[in-house]
Amino acid sequence: MRANGLAGQIVGHAKSAETRATALELGLCDHVYATAAEAVAGADLVVLAVPVGAMAAIAEEIGPHLAPGCTVTDVGSVKQAVIAAVAPYIPEGVQFIPGHPMAGTEYSGPRSGFATLFQNRWWLLTPAPEVDPAALARLQLLLTGMGAKVNLMDPPHHDQVLAVVSHTPHLIAYTMVGVADHLAQVSNSEVIEYSASGFRDFTRIAASDPTMWRDVFLTNKDAVLDILGRFAEELFVLQRAIRMGDGDHLHDYFTRTRAIRRGIIEAGQDTSAPDFGRSPASKPAGAA
Ligand SMILES: NC(=O)C1=CN([C@@H]2O[C@H](COP(=O)(O)OP(=O)(O)OC[C@H]3O[C@@H](n4cnc5c(N)ncnc54)[C@H](O)[C@@H]3O)[C@@H](O)[C@H]2O)C=CC1
Ligand SMILES: O=C(O)C(=O)Cc1ccc(O)cc1
């Protein structure tokens, strides 16, 4: 917002004096406040960026101090639980538009932000049908102004999709790093020294903030348990194929999963994937 000149004045609140001082030092905020109630007074837009389990307490604190005409949004990784936690505290005349940027890193705190974080990344919004269209349009303009691509979703669908593409994969990464840690014959230094890129990615993900991820799993419980159950079933089938030496099964399975990955790349949805000269822009002029 700061880099693209999208806000007149940016004020912030964080519990710790150190975080508030860092936010000022980095120029992220024009003013910082020790309480959330003071920070939201007179604001046009309030962005809640705390762990999902802390959303209710923050919403309860700020509710009475929100100005009429204000829009409240959030960036929580789970949507149904945040809506249940926040909506009861939103007063008449204030719009609540839940949101989730599909962008982040394993790092936390004000020093971990960077101006291009949302560039070309999805930012999902899950507004109630009765939301004021003008407030929604204004928020969309702000998010696209930061380079994000905006999509609207209903909250249960959001939580189901995220359980598949983000939450359960994080749990698998945590588990795999835990497995490596518990193997007495394999030292932690060997894990770090010899880890191929797949496992290296697992260790990066497993270094994410424990409070944030605890809250994600506690609040998106049903969807994650559903996907985890399906994952365990598939894993047992593969485990049996390995035990029985069923190479055809393994080969067919891996062929199908490779087709899914290639489909994602061909649809242009993975900007991290190497192009290998496939995209039209990389073809020489006049090429078919
Ligand atoms: N880190 C990531 O990659 C992404 C995070 N999110 C979501 O964004 C939200 C914030 O995450 P981050 O910015 O990564 O975390 P962060 O750790 O950088 O910031 C969270 C802030 O919340 C404060 N906080 C924690 N408990 C609190 C409480 N009870 N009352 C008041 N303040 C409290 C912390 O002191 C900290 O200043 C979470 O809901 C997370 O699910 C969404 C997309 C990506
Ligand atoms: O660091 C990564 O790989 C992430 O997956 C970041 C992330 C974490 C949580 C979200 O809700 C969205 C994005």
Side-chain angles (χ1 to χ4, degrees):
M1 273 188 232
R2 168 75 75 213
N4 295 352
L6 301 171
Q9 207 189 153
I10 302 175
V11 309
H13 155 70
K15 278 190 304 184
S16 98
E18 191 191 340
T19 302
R20 296 196 297 272
T22 307
L24 275 183
E25 177 203 322
L26 296 173
L28 300 180
C29 296
D30 299 301
H31 299 285
V32 290
Y33 294 93
T35 69
E38 288 170 282
V40 304
D44 299 312
L45 174 71
V46 172
V47 184
L48 303 178
V50 296
V52 173
M55 292 282 182
I58 283 281
E60 184 175 17
E61 183 189 341
I62 65 171
H65 304 276
L66 295 167
C70 168
T71 295
V72 176
T73 188
D74 77 289
V75 294
S77 302
V78 178
K79 294 281 50 94
Q80 292 176 99
V82 169
I83 292 166
V86 172
Y89 299 109
I90 301 295
E92 195 80 22
V94 173
Q95 300 294 314
F96 176 43
I97 307 177
H100 181 194
M102 304 289 299
T105 70
E106 68 277 26
Y107 297 108
S108 301
R111 291 194 192 280
S112 314
F114 49 96
T116 54
L117 177 63
F118 305 116
Q119 205 75 50
N120 209 27
R121 307 303 291 264
W122 284 109
W123 196 308
L124 304 175
L125 297 176
T126 63
E130 60 274 15
V131 77
D132 172 18
L136 181 59
R138 226 173 17 248
L139 180 60
Q140 285 190 250
L141 209 57
L142 177 79
L143 304 179
T144 53
M146 292 191 283
K149 305 178 287 182
V150 177
N151 211 358
L152 305 186
M153 251 188 207
D154 76 73
H157 188 63
H158 168 279
D159 290 354
Q160 193 182 31
V161 169
L162 266 290
V164 177
V165 303
S166 175
H167 303 166
T168 311
H170 269 77
L171 198 68
I172 293 165
Y174 278 121
T175 314
M176 199 54 229
V177 174
V179 167
D181 186 45
H182 288 138
L183 272 181
Q185 322 78 304
V186 182
S187 72
N188 280 338
S189 63
E190 283 174 307
V191 167
I192 292 162
E193 189 67 25
Y194 303 125
S195 58
S197 66
F199 191 76
R200 211 172 269 272
D201 284 349
F202 279 179
T203 61
R204 184 188 71 75
I205 285 169
S208 302
D209 185 65
T211 306
M212 169 186 156
W213 284 99
R214 175 203 63 193
D215 288 0
V216 166
F217 293 117
L218 293 180
T219 58
N220 201 20
K221 179 176 165 175
D222 293 345
V224 170
L225 289 180
D226 176 44
I227 301 307
L228 210 51
R230 292 164 189 268
F231 176 80
E233 285 171 20
E234 302 254 339
L235 192 62
F236 279 129
V237 173
L238 291 177
Q239 186 176 341
R240 183 179 159 79
I242 293 170
R243 189 185 306 288
M244 305 304 282
D246 187 349
D248 286 348
H249 181 91
L250 295 174
H251 193 270
D252 287 353
Y253 198 92
F254 301 155
T255 303
R256 268 198 295 134
T257 54
R258 182 165 68 174
I260 293 168
R261 163 76 182 176
R262 292 193 171 163
I264 293 170
I265 295 170
E266 267 151 31
Q269 284 164 9
D270 184 356
T271 48
S272 70
D275 184 304
F276 298 128
R278 275 192 302 267
S279 77
S282 70
K283 285 183 184 159

